Amino acid sequence: MKSTMGWKALCFLVLDLTSVVLASSASPPKAVGFQFERKRTPSGTLSRRSNVDVPLLNTQNSFIYVANVSVGSPPQNVSLQIDTGSSDFWINTPDSVQCTQRSCPLGTYSANASTTSKYLNSNFIASYIIDGNATGDFITDDVSFAGVTVKGLEMGVGYNSTCLANIWGVSYSSAEAVVAYLPNGTYNTAGMYNNSVLQMVSQGLIQSPTYSLWLNDVAASVGSFLFGAIDTAKFQGPLSVLPIVADPVNGKTDALMVNITSISLSTSDIPLSVNATEFPQAALLDTGTPTITVPTDVFINIANQLNVTSVQGVALCDCALANSSATVDFGFAGLNISVPMKSIVVEPTAVDLALFAHTSQQLPPGTCIFGIDPLSSGNFGTMLLGDSFLRSAYVVYDLANNQIGMAATNFDPKGSNIVEIAAGPDGIAAALKASASPSPTSSGSMPSATGTSSGAPSATTTGKTTSAGVSMVWGEGKQVLVLLGGLVGVIASVVF
């Protein structure tokens, strides 16, 4: 999701305080990781956005990615949507329009109730094409998650908000809502600040402004998010390092975009796009977007070959398509990511069915929503690679070097192999080189946010040293384990 460009997210995945914190013997923790759990939101609404040909009703609003944090003193527990398409960390207040007239299922925050909050100004404003906008104050306060505390984090407080979700944006600082893009092609950077990623670097919590995302299989209940590190057990094959390209709208490198070089369907020997001028084309890798958007002619070709139809502008298909062996294949420079049908075909919720009924349309039994859309004026012609794509890719974001690492995901990792990403021009490549082997060095799997997953080691399990020289152990439940490089074993365990 991107301010003034992005989509409101659709998946409710809870990033719990279950964590791993890595440290060397002479420095503070260099990586912070957590696990999220995939859950549905309690309700949804039918949002309208414009398509070049027909109005499109977006019903896939039942899920968002959410991190659980505590803010201020005494701590106020809230949840925020993790969003790679925006940059601001902001929270609704109890008195906002959204919370008083609708609902705020992710919780609220009161700056006046925190003794550590500090007022900065009243310049906070964020706007989204779908799901409203928010205005209010900029403040600083302490934010705790995954066993660490980010001191004095600058954030927005949405006193006037019509947005359902609190947002934790992790993109470039230049994409912060306070930064204005001027007609002369420059930025008005007055008020630009260290967002959460940069603040973590400045406070020594991580070495570099980087993070990695592993959404796992569409049927899985857990995935992982790592600040400052790569988990080489979570992908298969080589991890390609791609340059982040300029936003085609403003010509600036202020969004996490890479070039797509081709799109094809595995059931066809011919690439779906017959217009060579369409590729390469920039695409935004966005956790705030549930689906995939592609050029209109590519979408039409996919729809024709897979018997995808449309009702009220929503792409629909036979639910049996989820069991097909067909894949939509996305080509990048030196890399191909195949997305299976089971990640694209979405079963409608009861809310979806009711909303279709409200528009006098009845979905026939066995009908599902197809998670690929044509480009529309609503997203300014920018291709979006959302959850449907990201489940099939392991993605590493390097904000300092303007690079994205990408590989085919490993849906069945036998443990974890955490490698820190150090500061420097080589970033991702240096981290991969530091890892002598991509094979896991710790047994078991990350624990569930609601308990220990099958095969997960206990809190007293001895850690193992990775090839990068970092000793690690996964915690259980809500334990936080602090470990020292070169020293095998648990140093401290704190139970919340």
Side-chain angles (χ1 to χ4, degrees):
M1 177 176 56
K2 190 176 181 184
S3 294
T4 72
M5 278 189 67
W7 294 4
K8 208 54 181 162
L10 313 181
C11 188
F12 220 25
L13 282 116
V14 177
L15 292 175
D16 206 345
L17 294 180
T18 305
S19 68
V20 59
V21 179
L22 306 181
S24 72
S25 59
S27 64
K30 292 298 186 293
V32 181
F34 17 132
Q35 224 178 38
F36 51 74
E37 182 180 0
R38 190 168 191 259
K39 292 184 177 180
R40 287 189 180 274
T41 56
S43 62
T45 58
L46 196 63
S47 302
R48 182 178 293 271
R49 52 191 168 88
S50 296
N51 183 272
V52 290
D53 297 316
V54 294
L56 184 61
L57 297 178
N58 178 14
T59 64
Q60 298 183 62
N61 47 21
S62 301
F63 297 99
I64 57 177
Y65 296 118
V66 175
N68 293 330
V69 306
S70 62
V71 184
S73 300
Q76 300 176 51
N77 297 324
V78 296
S79 299
L80 299 97
Q81 175 192 348
I82 293 284
D83 184 22
T84 59
S86 66
S87 303
D88 296 287
F89 182 110
W90 71 270
I91 310 174
N92 277 305
T93 64
D95 297 329
S96 69
V97 172
Q98 176 66 40
C99 299
T100 57
Q101 298 184 12
R102 301 182 185 95
S103 67
C104 287
L106 304 188
T108 60
Y109 163 78
S110 173
N112 293 333
S114 173
T115 60
T116 49
S117 69
K118 295 181 180 179
Y119 169 83
L120 297 178
N121 58 61
S122 297
N123 298 332
F124 172 68
I125 179 171
S127 179
Y128 306 96
I129 284 181
I130 287 184
D131 211 27
N133 55 70
T135 62
D137 294 344
F138 273 113
I139 67 160
T140 63
D141 209 340
D142 299 341
V143 178
S144 298
F145 59 95
V148 300
T149 297
V150 181
K151 296 287 187 180
L153 178 64
E154 185 163 341
M155 67 186 74
V157 180
Y159 287 104
N160 301 295
S161 169
T162 57
C163 295
L164 171 71
N166 308 314
I167 305 296
W168 187 348
V170 290
S171 188
Y172 290 109
S173 284
S174 58
E176 290 164 357
V178 73
V179 177
Y181 178 65
L182 303 177
N184 64 2
T186 63
Y187 287 117
N188 177 7
T189 58
M192 190 166 71
Y193 60 92
N194 275 0
N195 67 3
S196 60
V197 183
L198 295 179
Q199 193 76 334
M200 291 176 72
V201 175
S202 69
Q203 296 180 11
L205 300 174
I206 54 178
Q207 292 193 55
S208 59
T210 57
Y211 48 89
S212 304
L213 180 70
W214 182 67
L215 293 191
N216 207 344
D217 188 80
V218 65
S221 61
V222 295
S224 65
F225 191 93
L226 275 173
F227 283 106
I230 300 173
D231 187 346
T232 64
K234 296 298 192 296
F235 61 87
Q236 52 188 342
L239 188 142
S240 297
V241 181
L242 308 172
I244 293 176
V245 299
D247 188 329
V249 175
N250 60 29
K252 301 292 184 180
T253 306
D254 62 357
L256 302 173
M257 295 183 176
V258 294
N259 274 336
I260 292 182
T261 57
S262 66
I263 301 176
S264 59
L265 193 64
S266 65
T267 57
S268 172
D269 294 329
I270 303 173
L272 291 172
S273 175
V274 295
N275 184 356
T277 63
E278 288 182 337
F279 297 103
Q281 183 166 147
L284 180 68
L285 298 164
D286 187 9
T287 59
T289 299
T291 59
I292 299 166
T293 60
V294 298
T296 301
D297 66 328
V298 174
F299 172 80
I300 291 172
N301 282 324
I302 293 175
N304 288 341
Q305 294 192 51
L306 298 179
N307 297 318
V308 174
T309 59
S310 176
V311 174
Q312 290 292 311
V314 178
L316 302 174
C317 63
D318 191 321
C319 291
L321 184 61
N323 300 319
S324 168
S325 61
T327 60
V328 179
D329 301 331
F330 295 83
F332 305 86
L335 174 69
N336 185 77
I337 299 294
S338 296
V339 180
M341 287 298 129
K342 67 178 181 179
S343 188
I344 297 172
V345 177
V346 180
E347 187 173 352
T349 66
V351 172
D352 295 331
L353 296 174
L355 290 169
F356 275 107
H358 183 70
T359 60
S360 300
Q361 299 286 343
Q362 297 289 338
L363 291 185
T367 300
C368 282
I369 298 169
F370 190 68
I372 297 180
D373 294 324
L375 284 173
S376 69
S377 58
N379 53 47
F380 295 91
T382 302
M383 287 186 62
L384 300 172
L385 299 179
D387 302 344
S388 296
F389 171 85
L390 292 171
R391 282 189 285 267
S392 297
Y394 185 83
V395 185
V396 186
Y397 301 80
D398 185 343
L399 306 185
N401 295 305
N402 297 328
Q403 293 178 334
I404 283 179
M406 193 186 305
T409 195
N410 180 4
F411 290 120
D412 188 29
K414 304 301 183 182
S416 290
N417 185 49
I418 306 296
V419 182
E420 299 171 2
I421 304 175
D426 296 326
I428 297 170
L432 293 174
K433 185 177 181 180
S435 178
S437 170
S439 61
T441 58
S442 63
S443 61
S445 56
M446 287 186 71
S448 166
T450 55
T452 304
S453 61
S454 176
S458 69
T460 56
T461 300
T462 300
K464 295 186 180 181
T465 303
T466 69
S467 55
V470 179
S471 181
M472 59 167 288
V473 172
W474 293 115
E476 274 193 88
K478 292 188 177 180
Q479 294 173 326
V480 175
L481 304 182
V482 181
L483 303 110
L484 302 180
L487 179 60
V488 177
V490 176
I491 305 301
S493 177
V494 180
V495 180
F496 291 92

mmCIF file of all heavy atoms in Angstrom, residues 14-48:
data_model
loop_
_atom_site.group_PDB
_atom_site.id
_atom_site.type_symbol
_atom_site.label_atom_id
_atom_site.label_comp_id
_atom_site.label_asym_id
_atom_site.label_seq_id
_atom_site.Cartn_x
_atom_site.Cartn_y
_atom_site.Cartn_z
ATOM 1 N N VAL A 14 -0.866 -11.975 11.974
ATOM 2 C CA VAL A 14 -0.402 -11.409 13.223
ATOM 3 C C VAL A 14 1.072 -11.714 13.418
ATOM 4 O O VAL A 14 1.472 -12.868 13.439
ATOM 5 C CB VAL A 14 -1.211 -11.978 14.400
ATOM 6 C CG1 VAL A 14 -0.678 -11.454 15.706
ATOM 7 C CG2 VAL A 14 -2.676 -11.611 14.244
ATOM 8 N N LEU A 15 1.881 -10.676 13.532
ATOM 9 C CA LEU A 15 3.292 -10.827 13.872
ATOM 10 C C LEU A 15 3.386 -10.734 15.382
ATOM 11 O O LEU A 15 3.243 -9.664 15.953
ATOM 12 C CB LEU A 15 4.116 -9.704 13.245
ATOM 13 C CG LEU A 15 4.232 -9.696 11.721
ATOM 14 C CD1 LEU A 15 4.975 -8.447 11.301
ATOM 15 C CD2 LEU A 15 4.934 -10.904 11.219
ATOM 16 N N ASP A 16 3.575 -11.854 16.064
ATOM 17 C CA ASP A 16 3.553 -11.849 17.513
ATOM 18 C C ASP A 16 4.907 -11.436 18.062
ATOM 19 O O ASP A 16 5.862 -11.243 17.341
ATOM 20 C CB ASP A 16 3.179 -13.250 18.030
ATOM 21 C CG ASP A 16 2.540 -13.221 19.396
ATOM 22 O OD1 ASP A 16 2.639 -12.180 20.064
ATOM 23 O OD2 ASP A 16 1.956 -14.239 19.783
ATOM 24 N N LEU A 17 4.980 -11.303 19.399
ATOM 25 C CA LEU A 17 6.224 -10.937 20.043
ATOM 26 C C LEU A 17 7.202 -12.098 20.095
ATOM 27 O O LEU A 17 8.327 -11.937 20.540
ATOM 28 C CB LEU A 17 5.958 -10.426 21.467
ATOM 29 C CG LEU A 17 5.175 -9.126 21.531
ATOM 30 C CD1 LEU A 17 4.965 -8.722 22.965
ATOM 31 C CD2 LEU A 17 5.898 -8.021 20.781
ATOM 32 N N THR A 18 6.750 -13.292 19.663
ATOM 33 C CA THR A 18 7.691 -14.392 19.488
ATOM 34 C C THR A 18 8.822 -13.910 18.604
ATOM 35 O O THR A 18 8.588 -13.340 17.565
ATOM 36 C CB THR A 18 6.985 -15.566 18.794
ATOM 37 O OG1 THR A 18 5.838 -15.900 19.536
ATOM 38 C CG2 THR A 18 7.908 -16.745 18.646
ATOM 39 N N SER A 19 10.065 -14.115 19.006
ATOM 40 C CA SER A 19 11.139 -13.484 18.262
ATOM 41 C C SER A 19 12.447 -14.228 18.381
ATOM 42 O O SER A 19 12.621 -15.107 19.191
ATOM 43 C CB SER A 19 11.357 -12.058 18.774
ATOM 44 O OG SER A 19 11.865 -12.110 20.088
ATOM 45 N N VAL A 20 13.350 -13.822 17.518
ATOM 46 C CA VAL A 20 14.744 -14.190 17.694
ATOM 47 C C VAL A 20 15.540 -12.902 17.647
ATOM 48 O O VAL A 20 15.311 -12.055 16.813
ATOM 49 C CB VAL A 20 15.224 -15.175 16.608
ATOM 50 C CG1 VAL A 20 15.081 -14.613 15.222
ATOM 51 C CG2 VAL A 20 16.679 -15.547 16.857
ATOM 52 N N VAL A 21 16.442 -12.735 18.588
ATOM 53 C CA VAL A 21 17.312 -11.572 18.610
ATOM 54 C C VAL A 21 18.741 -12.064 18.529
ATOM 55 O O VAL A 21 19.157 -12.893 19.328
ATOM 56 C CB VAL A 21 17.114 -10.745 19.898
ATOM 57 C CG1 VAL A 21 18.054 -9.561 19.910
ATOM 58 C CG2 VAL A 21 15.678 -10.282 20.010
ATOM 59 N N LEU A 22 19.496 -11.593 17.543
ATOM 60 C CA LEU A 22 20.863 -12.030 17.343
ATOM 61 C C LEU A 22 21.827 -10.953 17.775
ATOM 62 O O LEU A 22 21.570 -9.781 17.615
ATOM 63 C CB LEU A 22 21.094 -12.343 15.857
ATOM 64 C CG LEU A 22 20.126 -13.331 15.216
ATOM 65 C CD1 LEU A 22 20.517 -13.533 13.766
ATOM 66 C CD2 LEU A 22 20.118 -14.635 15.957
ATOM 67 N N ALA A 23 22.964 -11.355 18.314
ATOM 68 C CA ALA A 23 23.963 -10.369 18.724
ATOM 69 C C ALA A 23 25.351 -10.949 18.566
ATOM 70 O O ALA A 23 25.555 -12.155 18.602
ATOM 71 C CB ALA A 23 23.748 -9.974 20.180
ATOM 72 N N SER A 24 26.320 -10.114 18.411
ATOM 73 C CA SER A 24 27.708 -10.541 18.463
ATOM 74 C C SER A 24 28.226 -10.273 19.860
ATOM 75 O O SER A 24 27.592 -9.585 20.639
ATOM 76 C CB SER A 24 28.535 -9.769 17.430
ATOM 77 O OG SER A 24 28.696 -8.430 17.842
ATOM 78 N N SER A 25 29.410 -10.782 20.177
ATOM 79 C CA SER A 25 29.921 -10.658 21.526
ATOM 80 C C SER A 25 30.318 -9.236 21.869
ATOM 81 O O SER A 25 30.527 -8.918 23.020
ATOM 82 C CB SER A 25 31.123 -11.595 21.688
ATOM 83 O OG SER A 25 32.127 -11.258 20.734
ATOM 84 N N ALA A 26 30.459 -8.343 20.871
ATOM 85 C CA ALA A 26 30.944 -7.001 21.148
ATOM 86 C C ALA A 26 29.976 -5.926 20.700
ATOM 87 O O ALA A 26 30.337 -4.768 20.650
ATOM 88 C CB ALA A 26 32.297 -6.797 20.463
ATOM 89 N N SER A 27 28.758 -6.291 20.355
ATOM 90 C CA SER A 27 27.821 -5.307 19.846
ATOM 91 C C SER A 27 26.403 -5.674 20.232
ATOM 92 O O SER A 27 26.126 -6.812 20.586
ATOM 93 C CB SER A 27 27.947 -5.214 18.326
ATOM 94 O OG SER A 27 27.588 -6.440 17.732
ATOM 95 N N PRO A 28 25.483 -4.700 20.163
ATOM 96 C CA PRO A 28 24.081 -4.982 20.443
ATOM 97 C C PRO A 28 23.481 -5.861 19.351
ATOM 98 O O PRO A 28 24.142 -6.160 18.352
ATOM 99 C CB PRO A 28 23.445 -3.590 20.470
ATOM 100 C CG PRO A 28 24.372 -2.733 19.697
ATOM 101 C CD PRO A 28 25.737 -3.296 19.880
ATOM 102 N N PRO A 29 22.223 -6.308 19.536
ATOM 103 C CA PRO A 29 21.598 -7.197 18.551
ATOM 104 C C PRO A 29 21.673 -6.631 17.141
ATOM 105 O O PRO A 29 21.479 -5.446 16.922
ATOM 106 C CB PRO A 29 20.149 -7.290 19.044
ATOM 107 C CG PRO A 29 20.248 -7.052 20.511
ATOM 108 C CD PRO A 29 21.355 -6.052 20.676
ATOM 109 N N LYS A 30 21.941 -7.491 16.177
ATOM 110 C CA LYS A 30 22.077 -7.080 14.801
ATOM 111 C C LYS A 30 20.940 -7.564 13.907
ATOM 112 O O LYS A 30 20.945 -7.307 12.718
ATOM 113 C CB LYS A 30 23.415 -7.583 14.245
ATOM 114 C CG LYS A 30 24.624 -6.905 14.880
ATOM 115 C CD LYS A 30 24.622 -5.410 14.597
ATOM 116 C CE LYS A 30 25.886 -4.735 15.099
ATOM 117 N NZ LYS A 30 25.998 -4.726 16.545
ATOM 118 N N ALA A 31 20.021 -8.300 14.448
ATOM 119 C CA ALA A 31 18.866 -8.738 13.671
ATOM 120 C C ALA A 31 17.703 -8.972 14.602
ATOM 121 O O ALA A 31 17.878 -9.431 15.721
ATOM 122 C CB ALA A 31 19.202 -10.004 12.891
ATOM 123 N N VAL A 32 16.528 -8.629 14.138
ATOM 124 C CA VAL A 32 15.310 -8.825 14.919
ATOM 125 C C VAL A 32 14.289 -9.519 14.025
ATOM 126 O O VAL A 32 13.970 -9.029 12.934
ATOM 127 C CB VAL A 32 14.731 -7.490 15.421
ATOM 128 C CG1 VAL A 32 13.473 -7.726 16.247
ATOM 129 C CG2 VAL A 32 15.767 -6.721 16.243
ATOM 130 N N GLY A 33 13.822 -10.676 14.444
ATOM 131 C CA GLY A 33 12.883 -11.427 13.612
ATOM 132 C C GLY A 33 11.640 -11.820 14.372
ATOM 133 O O GLY A 33 11.690 -12.057 15.567
ATOM 134 N N PHE A 34 10.513 -11.850 13.675
ATOM 135 C CA PHE A 34 9.301 -12.348 14.281
ATOM 136 C C PHE A 34 8.516 -13.196 13.322
ATOM 137 O O PHE A 34 8.748 -13.191 12.129
ATOM 138 C CB PHE A 34 8.392 -11.264 14.859
ATOM 139 C CG PHE A 34 8.592 -9.848 14.427
ATOM 140 C CD1 PHE A 34 7.516 -9.090 14.029
ATOM 141 C CD2 PHE A 34 9.832 -9.247 14.489
ATOM 142 C CE1 PHE A 34 7.668 -7.777 13.687
ATOM 143 C CE2 PHE A 34 10.004 -7.932 14.142
ATOM 144 C CZ PHE A 34 8.908 -7.186 13.729
ATOM 145 N N GLN A 35 7.581 -13.910 13.895
ATOM 146 C CA GLN A 35 6.707 -14.799 13.161
ATOM 147 C C GLN A 35 5.328 -14.162 13.113
ATOM 148 O O GLN A 35 4.922 -13.505 14.060
ATOM 149 C CB GLN A 35 6.605 -16.123 13.903
ATOM 150 C CG GLN A 35 6.709 -17.328 13.016
ATOM 151 C CD GLN A 35 6.656 -18.597 13.831
ATOM 152 O OE1 GLN A 35 5.921 -18.695 14.792
ATOM 153 N NE2 GLN A 35 7.433 -19.561 13.451
ATOM 154 N N PHE A 36 4.623 -14.360 12.015
ATOM 155 C CA PHE A 36 3.249 -13.898 11.981
ATOM 156 C C PHE A 36 2.297 -15.063 11.759
ATOM 157 O O PHE A 36 2.676 -16.104 11.238
ATOM 158 C CB PHE A 36 3.039 -12.812 10.924
ATOM 159 C CG PHE A 36 3.540 -13.147 9.551
ATOM 160 C CD1 PHE A 36 2.869 -14.051 8.745
ATOM 161 C CD2 PHE A 36 4.669 -12.530 9.055
ATOM 162 C CE1 PHE A 36 3.318 -14.339 7.478
ATOM 163 C CE2 PHE A 36 5.128 -12.817 7.783
ATOM 164 C CZ PHE A 36 4.455 -13.730 6.987
ATOM 165 N N GLU A 37 1.071 -14.838 12.180
ATOM 166 C CA GLU A 37 0.029 -15.843 12.022
ATOM 167 C C GLU A 37 -1.032 -15.305 11.088
ATOM 168 O O GLU A 37 -1.395 -14.132 11.162
ATOM 169 C CB GLU A 37 -0.595 -16.175 13.378
ATOM 170 C CG GLU A 37 -1.654 -17.250 13.329
ATOM 171 C CD GLU A 37 -2.240 -17.534 14.696
ATOM 172 O OE1 GLU A 37 -1.807 -16.890 15.661
ATOM 173 O OE2 GLU A 37 -3.139 -18.377 14.786
ATOM 174 N N ARG A 38 -1.520 -16.128 10.204
ATOM 175 C CA ARG A 38 -2.491 -15.701 9.210
ATOM 176 C C ARG A 38 -3.908 -15.842 9.751
ATOM 177 O O ARG A 38 -4.356 -16.920 10.096
ATOM 178 C CB ARG A 38 -2.328 -16.538 7.935
ATOM 179 C CG ARG A 38 -3.110 -16.035 6.743
ATOM 180 C CD ARG A 38 -2.646 -16.760 5.492
ATOM 181 N NE ARG A 38 -3.185 -16.146 4.298
ATOM 182 C CZ ARG A 38 -4.220 -16.632 3.625
ATOM 183 N NH1 ARG A 38 -4.829 -17.725 4.049
ATOM 184 N NH2 ARG A 38 -4.653 -16.023 2.536
ATOM 185 N N LYS A 39 -4.608 -14.706 9.825
ATOM 186 C CA LYS A 39 -5.983 -14.704 10.324
ATOM 187 C C LYS A 39 -6.861 -13.807 9.472
ATOM 188 O O LYS A 39 -6.384 -12.909 8.791
ATOM 189 C CB LYS A 39 -6.023 -14.207 11.774
ATOM 190 C CG LYS A 39 -5.386 -15.143 12.776
ATOM 191 C CD LYS A 39 -5.566 -14.612 14.186
ATOM 192 C CE LYS A 39 -4.988 -15.576 15.201
ATOM 193 N NZ LYS A 39 -5.164 -15.069 16.585
ATOM 194 N N ARG A 40 -8.151 -14.034 9.565
ATOM 195 C CA ARG A 40 -9.106 -13.202 8.846
ATOM 196 C C ARG A 40 -9.544 -12.027 9.712
ATOM 197 O O ARG A 40 -9.601 -12.127 10.922
ATOM 198 C CB ARG A 40 -10.359 -13.995 8.455
ATOM 199 C CG ARG A 40 -10.135 -14.977 7.323
ATOM 200 C CD ARG A 40 -11.449 -15.552 6.848
ATOM 201 N NE ARG A 40 -11.253 -16.495 5.770
ATOM 202 C CZ ARG A 40 -11.164 -16.181 4.492
ATOM 203 N NH1 ARG A 40 -11.246 -14.919 4.138
ATOM 204 N NH2 ARG A 40 -10.988 -17.102 3.579
ATOM 205 N N THR A 41 -9.870 -10.922 9.052
ATOM 206 C CA THR A 41 -10.477 -9.805 9.755
ATOM 207 C C THR A 41 -11.918 -10.170 10.076
ATOM 208 O O THR A 41 -12.528 -10.992 9.407
ATOM 209 C CB THR A 41 -10.458 -8.538 8.897
ATOM 210 O OG1 THR A 41 -11.103 -8.831 7.659
ATOM 211 C CG2 THR A 41 -9.044 -8.073 8.645
ATOM 212 N N PRO A 42 -12.518 -9.530 11.099
ATOM 213 C CA PRO A 42 -13.890 -9.853 11.465
ATOM 214 C C PRO A 42 -14.911 -9.400 10.451
ATOM 215 O O PRO A 42 -16.027 -9.878 10.421
ATOM 216 C CB PRO A 42 -14.075 -9.115 12.792
ATOM 217 C CG PRO A 42 -13.069 -8.029 12.768
ATOM 218 C CD PRO A 42 -11.900 -8.587 12.020
ATOM 219 N N SER A 43 -14.571 -8.420 9.596
ATOM 220 C CA SER A 43 -15.539 -7.916 8.629
ATOM 221 C C SER A 43 -14.808 -7.252 7.489
ATOM 222 O O SER A 43 -13.598 -7.055 7.517
ATOM 223 C CB SER A 43 -16.486 -6.907 9.291
ATOM 224 O OG SER A 43 -15.751 -5.784 9.758
ATOM 225 N N GLY A 44 -15.553 -6.876 6.474
ATOM 226 C CA GLY A 44 -14.958 -6.196 5.341
ATOM 227 C C GLY A 44 -15.962 -5.307 4.651
ATOM 228 O O GLY A 44 -17.153 -5.338 4.936
ATOM 229 N N THR A 45 -15.501 -4.483 3.736
ATOM 230 C CA THR A 45 -16.377 -3.621 2.966
ATOM 231 C C THR A 45 -16.026 -3.741 1.501
ATOM 232 O O THR A 45 -14.915 -4.120 1.148
ATOM 233 C CB THR A 45 -16.234 -2.144 3.392
ATOM 234 O OG1 THR A 45 -14.869 -1.758 3.222
ATOM 235 C CG2 THR A 45 -16.634 -1.952 4.838
ATOM 236 N N LEU A 46 -16.974 -3.413 0.650
ATOM 237 C CA LEU A 46 -16.755 -3.476 -0.777
ATOM 238 C C LEU A 46 -16.247 -2.134 -1.246
ATOM 239 O O LEU A 46 -16.953 -1.132 -1.161
ATOM 240 C CB LEU A 46 -18.067 -3.824 -1.484
ATOM 241 C CG LEU A 46 -17.980 -4.291 -2.932
ATOM 242 C CD1 LEU A 46 -17.194 -5.585 -3.010
ATOM 243 C CD2 LEU A 46 -19.373 -4.495 -3.490
ATOM 244 N N SER A 47 -14.999 -2.082 -1.713
ATOM 245 C CA SER A 47 -14.385 -0.823 -2.123
ATOM 246 C C SER A 47 -14.428 -0.712 -3.635
ATOM 247 O O SER A 47 -14.251 -1.693 -4.346
ATOM 248 C CB SER A 47 -12.937 -0.747 -1.634
ATOM 249 O OG SER A 47 -12.883 -0.872 -0.235
ATOM 250 N N ARG A 48 -14.639 0.489 -4.126
ATOM 251 C CA ARG A 48 -14.710 0.708 -5.564
ATOM 252 C C ARG A 48 -13.457 1.426 -6.051
ATOM 253 O O ARG A 48 -12.998 2.374 -5.452
ATOM 254 C CB ARG A 48 -15.940 1.541 -5.911
ATOM 255 C CG ARG A 48 -16.114 1.767 -7.408
ATOM 256 C CD ARG A 48 -17.381 2.552 -7.708
ATOM 257 N NE ARG A 48 -18.558 1.785 -7.376
ATOM 258 C CZ ARG A 48 -19.163 0.954 -8.224
ATOM 259 N NH1 ARG A 48 -18.671 0.785 -9.425
ATOM 260 N NH2 ARG A 48 -20.228 0.292 -7.864
#
